[in-house]
Amino acid sequence: VAPTTPVCDVPSSAMTGTVVQLSCKETEGSPPSEYQWYKNGVALLEKTGTGSARTPNITYTMNKKSGTLVSVTTNSVIASYQGNRTYSSNGVGLSQKCSVKRMQV
């Protein structure tokens, strides 16, 4: 069964220096969907990642199976989440994306 549009939970605000968890989930797909988070159009690597030339100033832990992304909030990180998207896919049908979520730090 193809995945449905995922529901993403992104806090509307967070204090600088706090840990924030973002999540994305859809329940209709079979087999279960995996999730891919993007920053500025670039896919984030699974597990733990740090900044690079294309994704600077971000340290995070991502789990593709659970759809979670955990990061420490900084003023530079907030810019990365503005316009961020998450896609769900399970190899059946087309990948689905959640709507853009914004978070203020």
Side-chain angles (χ1 to χ4, degrees):
V1 176
T4 57
T5 301
V7 174
C8 296
D9 183 22
V10 175
S12 59
S13 64
M15 297 293 292
T16 299
T18 60
V19 175
V20 64
Q21 179 171 309
L22 296 79
S23 64
C24 190
K25 196 72 173 166
E26 74 83 28
T27 58
E28 301 296 319
S30 181
S33 288
E34 289 194 0
Y35 304 88
Q36 179 63 59
W37 289 86
Y38 288 79
K39 176 193 170 215
N40 300 331
V42 178
L44 298 177
L45 300 174
E46 189 173 13
K47 307 274 184 213
T48 300
T50 57
S52 68
R54 296 192 66 191
T55 57
N57 301 320
I58 181 171
T59 300
Y60 63 89
T61 302
M62 180 179 64
N63 184 313
K64 286 187 172 188
K65 293 191 184 303
S66 70
T68 59
L69 177 68
V70 179
S71 179
V72 174
T73 60
T74 65
N75 288 332
S76 58
V77 170
I78 184 55
S80 73
Y81 290 128
Q82 301 224 11
N84 198 37
R85 290 203 179 266
T86 308
Y87 289 81
S88 64
S89 62
N90 66 355
V92 180
L94 299 174
S95 295
Q96 299 293 318
K97 63 184 175 183
C98 69
S99 60
V100 172
K101 301 287 185 171
R102 300 188 188 281
M103 180 176 65
Q104 292 295 321
V105 176

